[in-house]
Amino acid sequence: MRKLQEFWYCVAPQNDIPLYRGEALDNNVVTDLIAFLNYYRDNIQKTFSESIQKALLHNPKFINNIRLLLGISNKRFYLDMTYLAHISTTSAGERIVAEKREDLTKHSTAWFVGKLSRKGKEE
């Protein structure tokens, strides 16, 4: 099976892959979520999207805590993010991910956190 076919084979609606195991929102997660909300509140931008982008670039590790809060499985998250990364472009029209769509690679949640961490340091 080609990588692209494998990707689409693995993609399914959330209800079809209920892999979220209900991880507990422990004190560390709650503390981090409060820190995220405080940073968000203190750094409101023109649009909601810009505000979220700024907060996630400030601390990309918030992604995992938000995912837990929303009850999204790690697999569902990284499949959705991989799909979005491959169809999205920058304002200059450049693709966000350099690999060809035929060579689609499923990127882990950690890959996206790392990518955002590097991006945040550039700005």
Side-chain angles (χ1 to χ4, degrees):
M1 183 180 304
R2 289 186 6 219
K3 287 183 182 182
L4 187 61
Q5 291 171 319
E6 178 189 0
F7 177 79
W8 289 113
Y9 177 78
C10 293
V11 174
Q14 180 70 32
N15 294 339
D16 293 349
I17 46 173
L19 300 176
Y20 180 67
R21 290 179 172 72
E23 290 110 321
L25 296 178
D26 63 23
N27 287 338
N28 293 333
V29 172
V30 172
T31 300
D32 287 347
L33 286 167
I34 291 170
F36 172 79
L37 292 172
N38 286 332
Y39 184 88
Y40 175 85
R41 181 195 61 217
D42 295 340
N43 292 277
I44 298 292
Q45 304 296 305
K46 289 182 185 177
T47 66
F48 174 74
S49 178
E50 290 172 330
S51 298
I52 292 294
Q53 287 173 19
K54 183 172 177 111
L56 290 178
L57 286 174
H58 170 70
N59 187 349
K61 293 180 182 178
F62 287 144
I63 289 173
N64 284 317
N65 297 327
I66 294 168
R67 180 186 65 74
L68 288 172
L69 178 66
L70 297 176
I72 299 170
S73 71
N74 190 43
K75 182 175 183 178
R76 173 80 271 148
F77 178 80
Y78 75 71
L79 287 175
D80 285 348
M81 289 302 297
T82 298
Y83 173 75
L84 289 171
H86 279 80
I87 65 168
S88 299
T89 57
T90 65
S91 57
E94 299 170 354
R95 293 188 58 233
I96 293 175
V97 178
E99 63 202 23
K100 296 178 187 175
R101 287 190 173 101
E102 299 80 36
D103 298 325
L104 189 63
T105 301
K106 289 181 269 186
H107 295 289
S108 67
T109 302
W111 184 87
F112 287 104
V113 170
K115 186 106 170 134
L116 284 172
S117 296
R118 289 186 298 282
K119 174 85 171 141
K121 290 177 183 170
E122 293 170 7
E123 295 181 355

